[in-house]
């Protein structure tokens, strides 16, 4: 009787396991080139498709990335630890610091593809904000690039009645960002709710985040509530799952 161990495991998976172990042990470090298809075919006596599937497993897991015409390399990018509780603390944005500073430490962060516009709320946004569809909202879209790697793009929707003509409607919101400006307007966020799911990206999302084929995204929808329970922002974020570790640290 055949055991349930590696004997039933596909050849490409066994090769992927061996390469993963070599990466984790340090045999292949960040930025190192992994054995190519020809090397794997010769070493493991397998067909090209099997070797290709093995390398694809590591790419799909975010451990490796393909470089056109050069081969497959161990990812050199250090995953970003997103501290879901600490980053939203009032003492963070209330003191003029970006909520991103809780995540990035001393790494280089660039915000690009910034779009700010006013439009009517879609049914989905209206439901989240507790307003009627078509109600004017200000939309802030932006992409975050860490150490030269796109890791997230986010789109915030805020009621026009709340933000008026404040700095929230400008490209630059000032120290502390949107939440600090909401506080100045008398709508300080006092409660947040985040909904998290994982899915495969659209073609446009994959291009915008420069994702390797097969890499899923994490979608986080955060709603910020002011005193009294009024929703003052809904932020739809799409994250490169291979670039993130989600950390939630709170008391029992």
């Amino acid at each position: 009787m055949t055991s349930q161990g590696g004997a039933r495991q596909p050849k490409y998976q066994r090769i992927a396991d061996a390469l993963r172990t070599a990466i984790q042990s340090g045999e292949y470090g960040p930025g190192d080139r992994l054995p190519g298809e020809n090397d794997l075919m010769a070493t493991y006596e397998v067909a090209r498709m099997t070797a290709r599937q093995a390398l694809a497993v590591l790419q799909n897991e975010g451990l490796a990335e393909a470089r056109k015409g050069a081969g497959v390399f161990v990812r050199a990018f250090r995953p970003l630890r997103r501290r879901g509780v600490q980053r939203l603390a009032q003492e963070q944005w209330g003191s003029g610091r970006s909520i991103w500073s809780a995540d990035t430490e001393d790494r280089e962060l660039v915000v690009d593809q910034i779009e700010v516009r006013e439009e009517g709320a879609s049914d989905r946004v209206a439901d989240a904000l507790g307003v009627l569809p078509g109600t004017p909202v200000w939309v802030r879209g932006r992409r975050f690039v860490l150490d030269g790697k796109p890791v997230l793009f986010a789109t915030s929707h805020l009621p026009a009645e709340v933000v008026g003509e404040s700095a929230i409607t400008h490209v630059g919101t000032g120290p502390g960002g949107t939440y600090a400006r909401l506080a100045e307007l008398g709508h300080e966020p006092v409660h947040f709710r985040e909904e998290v799911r994982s899915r495969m990206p659209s073609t446009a999302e994959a291009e915008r985040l420069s994702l390797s084929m097969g890499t899923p995204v994490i979608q986080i929808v955060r709603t910020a509530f002011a005193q009294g329970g009024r929703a003052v922002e809904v932020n739809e974020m799409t994250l490169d799952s291979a670039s993130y570790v989600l950390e939630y640290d709170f008391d029992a």
Side-chain angles (χ1 to χ4, degrees):
M1 181 175 180
T2 305
S3 69
Q4 296 213 2
R8 289 186 175 180
Q9 197 175 36
K11 289 181 179 179
Y12 76 87
Q13 189 65 62
R14 294 203 298 272
I15 297 171
D17 289 349
L19 291 173
R20 187 188 306 104
T21 298
I23 292 171
Q24 293 171 344
S25 70
E27 182 178 342
Y28 297 106
D32 285 350
R33 184 181 183 277
L34 292 172
E37 292 177 9
N38 290 337
D39 299 322
L40 295 176
M41 290 167 62
T43 300
Y44 293 95
E45 299 181 347
V46 295
R48 183 174 300 278
M49 182 56 68
T50 300
R52 186 171 298 169
Q53 287 178 305
L55 292 170
V57 168
L58 301 180
Q59 294 175 64
N60 292 344
E61 293 176 355
L63 290 175
E65 58 186 355
R67 300 178 190 171
K68 192 171 183 179
V72 177
F73 295 77
V74 179
R75 279 179 65 112
F77 182 83
R78 177 162 52 99
L80 177 65
R81 188 167 294 274
R82 183 183 189 272
R83 297 175 171 87
V85 177
Q86 294 92 326
R87 68 197 313 270
L88 293 174
Q90 195 275 342
E91 63 185 30
Q92 183 75 16
W93 47 265
S95 60
R97 297 193 302 273
S98 164
I99 63 175
W100 269 78
S101 63
D103 304 334
T104 57
E105 299 169 342
D106 58 351
R107 302 170 69 178
E108 180 186 7
L109 176 68
V110 174
V111 182
D112 66 7
Q113 299 185 8
I114 302 174
E115 299 178 4
V116 183
R117 64 185 184 276
E118 186 177 15
E119 65 183 28
S122 66
D123 290 349
R124 183 183 71 257
V125 170
D127 183 62
L129 291 176
V131 299
L132 294 174
T135 298
V137 294
W138 277 94
V139 181
R140 297 184 54 83
R142 59 274 190 210
R143 185 179 71 162
F144 296 84
V145 181
L146 187 68
D147 294 342
K149 168 73 176 74
V151 295
L152 171 149
F153 61 85
T155 306
S156 293
H157 306 263
L158 304 102
E161 178 190 358
V162 170
V163 302
E165 297 181 0
S166 69
I168 292 173
T169 66
H170 305 159
V171 170
T173 55
T178 296
Y179 295 150
R181 303 292 79 76
L182 283 171
E184 293 169 356
L185 293 169
H187 298 282
E188 175 181 343
V190 296
H191 180 73
F192 297 95
R193 180 180 66 225
E194 288 193 342
E195 300 174 352
V196 183
R197 63 181 289 234
S198 180
R199 59 175 173 79
M200 297 307 296
S202 66
T203 299
E205 290 171 333
E207 291 177 354
R208 195 171 186 185
L209 290 175
S210 302
L211 299 178
S212 300
M213 183 179 299
T215 303
V217 293
I218 300 170
Q219 185 174 56
I220 300 177
V221 179
R222 180 174 67 237
T223 307
F225 299 90
Q227 196 70 43
R230 178 175 187 176
V232 291
E233 181 216 33
V234 58
N235 186 357
E236 299 174 324
M237 295 164 276
T238 304
L239 293 66
D240 170 10
S241 64
S243 295
Y244 272 91
V245 173
L246 305 185
E247 176 184 303
Y248 294 91
D249 182 10
F250 44 87
D251 294 333

